[in-house]
């Protein structure tokens, strides 16, 4: 099958060429952390975890931090080997093959716009403390449009914008930590025995093993996003050598930025029963410790943090679609415009706008459907990444044995601890999910998305072998 000249140009000259290689490790980390939004995670996911799992949040989020750092090691080794825009899709595609790559592409193609919609629909709740009467839907639509437009600016501008917003949200987390640690009500040993509020008695009761496992899964979801550093690999200088640092710094900062404030809240709350029984535990602690005026300022900062996360995810979304189009993993008529990079901003504008439109459409989907559609996909994605990490190390070892130079690649320590533990944790999450009927719909939707990806490979990519053009390994050499 002959290759259209425009697509061939996109697939070769764009790879490490047209995208602006202007980010350092710090700029990459700023954008990646913005997509994770640690402050939003603490207030929204952490607050929900406090209400549900009590002091189990301490152990749950601590264990989740260990697992997340191990998964980050998998991302770091894969990203060092294949520092290519496209995130999980590009890594899995090149290591496990186009069938698994198509499955991961479908996961991200569906979930990234849905996550943007979920975040955007929550902005009005936080801005509402300062601006009364905001309509959640219209606020979400306006925020997504503004974020998509911002994501079309050059990458250094986005790094500065997201960095400024990130400073504000990190300040909010520092405030929470300080408020808890200057007014400690109980020793840290009080957190070693996980306890949860017992509604029937209003007192504390032991948290079971199943509850603790669920607290770990909540923590893993809360920390998720550090692998997003690889979306910007082609815009990061010396990516072969530096992208692993960007991933690992993003993961470490995220874990500390969330675990420390949550621990401080547990230590500094006047009453654990009152904290766990509050509708919004983190906001309640903040109001009791700092007063209503400070709480309003912080909640507005959280709204800005959510907007910041939307910008960062819009950047990632555009690179996902751009990478798949450049790989020709879709019909040529779609791939041509989506694989185009703006000559002025060096950004994949068309791909970014298309993903923004999908996020706008997702705002009209019922909120519970959005949550169910994104709830279990993370575990599947991590499973693919852990398997890919095992395979890529075997490939590297074979190349080393054959005399090829592999010294530039990052190799995770304590091999193969990281992928094995990650797979074990993911398997545990699946077992817990299968045993909980409330998780069946979410698991079913995730499985359906993956099945659609494999079907797309079987029905289109495999029958059109010239369509899926994967850049050769030696083409990666211009990413050093």
């Amino acid at each position: 099958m002959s290759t259209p000249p425009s697509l061939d140009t996109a697939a070769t000259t764009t790879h490490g060429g047209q995208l602006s290689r202007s980010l350092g490790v710090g700029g990459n980390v700023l954008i990646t952390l913005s997509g994770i939004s640690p402050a939003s995670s603490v207030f929204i996911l952490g607050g929900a975890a406090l209400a549900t799992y009590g002091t189990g949040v301490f152990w749950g989020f601590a264990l989740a931090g260990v697992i997340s750092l191990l998964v980050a090691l998998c991302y770091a080794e894969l990203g060092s080997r294949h520092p290519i825009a496209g995130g999980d899709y590009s890594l899995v595609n090149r290591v496990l093959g186009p069938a698994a790559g198509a499955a991961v592409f479908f996961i991200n193609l569906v979930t990234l716009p849905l996550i943007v919609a979920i975040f955007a629909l929550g902005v009005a709740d936080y801005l509402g403390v300062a601006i009364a009467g905001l309509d959640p839907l219209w606020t979400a639509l306006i925020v997504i449009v503004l974020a998509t437009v911002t994501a079309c600016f050059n990458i250094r501008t986005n790094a500065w914008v997201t960095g400024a917003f990130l400073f504000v949200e990190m300040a909010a987390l520092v405030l929470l930590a300080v408020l808890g640690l200057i007014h400690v009500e109980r020793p840290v040993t009080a957190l070693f025995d996980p306890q949860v509020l017992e509604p029937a008695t209003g007192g504390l009761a032991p948290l079971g093993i199943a509850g603790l496992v669920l607290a770990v899964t909540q923590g893993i979801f809360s920390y998720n996003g550090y692998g997003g550093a690889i979306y910007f690999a082609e815009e990061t200088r010396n990516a072969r050598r530096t992208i692993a640092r960007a991933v690992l710094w993003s993961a470490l900062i995220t874990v500390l930025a969330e675990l420390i404030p949550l621990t401080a809240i547990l230590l500094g709350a006047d009453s654990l029963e009152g904290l766990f029984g509050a509708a919004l535990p983190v906001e309640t602690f903040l109001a009791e410790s700092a007063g209503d005026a400070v709480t309003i300022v912080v909640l507005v900062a959280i709204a800005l943090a959510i907007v910041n996360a939307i910008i960062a995810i819009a950047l990632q979304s555009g690179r996902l679609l751009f990478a798949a189009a450049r790989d020709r993993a879709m019909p040529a008529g779609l791939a041509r415009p989506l694989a185009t990079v703006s000559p002025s901003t060096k950004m994949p504008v068309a791909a970014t706008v298309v993903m923004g439109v999908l996020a706008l459409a997702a705002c009209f989907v019922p909120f519970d459907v959005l949550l169910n559609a994104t709830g279990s996909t993370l575990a599947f994605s991590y499973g693919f990444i852990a398997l890919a990490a095992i395979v890529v190390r075997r490939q590297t070892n074979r190349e080393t044995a054959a005399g090829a130079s592999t010294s530039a690649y990052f190799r995770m320590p304590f091999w193969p601890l990281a992928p094995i533990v990650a797979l074990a944790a993911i398997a545990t999450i699946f077992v817990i999910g299968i045993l909980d009927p409330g998780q069946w719909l979410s698991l079913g939707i995730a499985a359906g998305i993956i099945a659609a990806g494999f079907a797309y490979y079987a029905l289109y990519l495999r029958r059109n072998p010239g369509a899926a053009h994967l850049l050769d390994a030696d083409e990666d050499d211009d990413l050093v």
Side-chain angles (χ1 to χ4, degrees):
M1 178 180 294
S2 61
T3 301
S6 60
L7 269 182
D8 185 64
T9 300
T12 56
T13 63
T14 309
H15 192 57
Q18 290 185 21
L19 290 176
S20 176
R21 194 172 294 284
S22 56
L23 288 178
V25 172
N28 186 311
V29 171
L30 287 176
I31 299 176
T32 303
L33 287 175
S34 297
I36 300 169
S37 189
S40 301
S41 295
V42 167
F43 274 79
I44 300 172
L45 299 177
L50 288 171
T52 307
Y53 309 114
T55 58
V57 167
F58 173 75
W59 279 115
F61 275 60
L63 292 172
V66 173
I67 294 170
S68 295
L69 291 174
L70 293 175
V71 175
L73 287 170
C74 297
Y75 272 110
E77 182 157 337
L78 286 165
S80 175
R81 181 63 187 259
H82 296 289
I84 304 169
D88 294 17
Y89 154 72
S90 290
L91 299 178
V92 172
N93 207 13
R94 282 154 178 79
V95 176
L96 298 183
V104 173
F105 172 66
F106 269 57
I107 289 175
N108 292 328
L109 182 67
V110 172
T111 58
L112 285 177
L114 297 189
I115 291 172
V116 167
I118 290 171
F119 278 15
L121 290 167
V123 170
D125 292 338
Y126 289 91
L127 279 182
V129 299
I131 306 172
L134 288 178
D135 179 82
L137 178 59
W138 277 105
T139 302
L141 297 178
I142 293 170
V143 165
I144 291 175
V145 169
L146 293 176
T148 301
V149 171
T150 303
C152 293
F153 297 158
N154 70 70
I155 194 65
R156 284 183 61 84
T157 299
N158 275 281
W160 280 105
V161 170
T162 55
F165 281 124
L166 183 65
F167 176 82
V168 174
E169 69 170 290
M170 296 301 276
L173 292 177
V174 170
L175 176 62
L176 281 177
V178 170
L179 290 173
L181 296 177
I182 64 174
H183 189 253
V184 173
E185 290 289 331
R186 56 196 58 83
V188 69
T189 53
L191 308 182
F192 292 171
D193 183 20
Q195 293 184 308
V196 66
L197 183 67
E198 176 59 56
T201 64
L204 298 180
L207 177 68
I209 294 296
L212 184 59
V213 171
L214 290 174
V216 173
T217 65
Q218 184 85 315
I220 292 173
F221 186 76
S222 180
Y223 296 143
N224 177 53
Y226 41 84
I230 298 170
Y231 280 101
F232 310 106
E234 291 181 44
E235 291 151 292
T236 303
R237 293 186 293 270
N238 301 314
R240 177 84 69 197
R241 297 177 176 85
T242 61
I243 200 66
R245 295 208 305 269
V247 171
L248 295 175
W249 274 116
S250 297
L252 180 60
I253 293 171
T254 297
V255 171
L256 294 177
E258 295 187 26
L259 182 58
I260 292 174
L262 286 170
T263 302
I265 291 171
L266 288 169
L267 295 176
D270 292 334
S271 165
L272 290 180
E273 291 86 351
L275 178 70
F276 303 152
L280 299 171
V282 179
E283 288 86 339
T284 299
F285 168 81
L286 182 61
E288 292 177 350
S289 303
D292 292 337
V294 172
T295 300
I296 291 174
V297 172
V298 172
L299 293 183
V300 171
I302 298 305
L304 296 178
I306 295 173
V307 173
N308 196 32
I310 293 170
I311 295 172
I313 297 172
L315 289 166
Q316 295 174 8
S317 300
R319 280 143 188 79
L320 167 71
L321 197 56
F322 162 77
R326 188 181 56 187
D327 284 348
R328 297 172 222 176
M330 59 188 69
L334 291 175
R336 286 192 187 94
L338 296 177
T340 300
V341 173
S342 167
S344 58
T345 63
K346 307 298 182 184
M347 300 287 274
V349 173
T352 302
V353 170
V354 168
M355 295 299 281
V357 171
L358 293 178
L360 287 172
C363 290
F364 295 93
V365 176
F367 197 76
D368 58 338
V369 176
L370 293 177
L371 293 177
N372 278 312
T374 58
S376 297
T377 55
L378 177 60
F380 284 99
S381 293
Y382 280 179
F384 280 113
I385 289 297
L387 288 173
I390 294 173
V391 172
V392 83
R393 173 60 69 91
R394 295 176 62 186
Q395 293 173 349
T396 302
N397 288 343
R398 286 197 298 268
E399 291 175 9
T400 302
S405 176
T406 58
S407 59
Y409 302 148
F410 169 82
R411 298 194 187 197
M412 71 182 78
F414 310 115
W415 172 264
L417 177 66
I420 295 301
V421 172
L423 286 172
I426 292 162
T428 302
I429 292 171
F430 278 127
V431 171
I432 295 296
I434 292 172
L435 295 176
D436 180 6
Q439 301 294 319
W440 290 354
L441 177 59
S442 179
L443 285 171
I445 292 175
I449 293 172
I450 292 172
F454 280 114
Y456 179 73
Y457 167 76
L459 298 175
Y460 177 73
L461 291 181
R462 191 173 65 175
R463 298 184 180 187
N464 295 273
H469 171 78
L470 300 183
L471 297 165
D472 295 331
D474 57 358
E475 287 186 277
D476 291 354
D477 291 341
D478 63 354
L479 292 173
V480 298

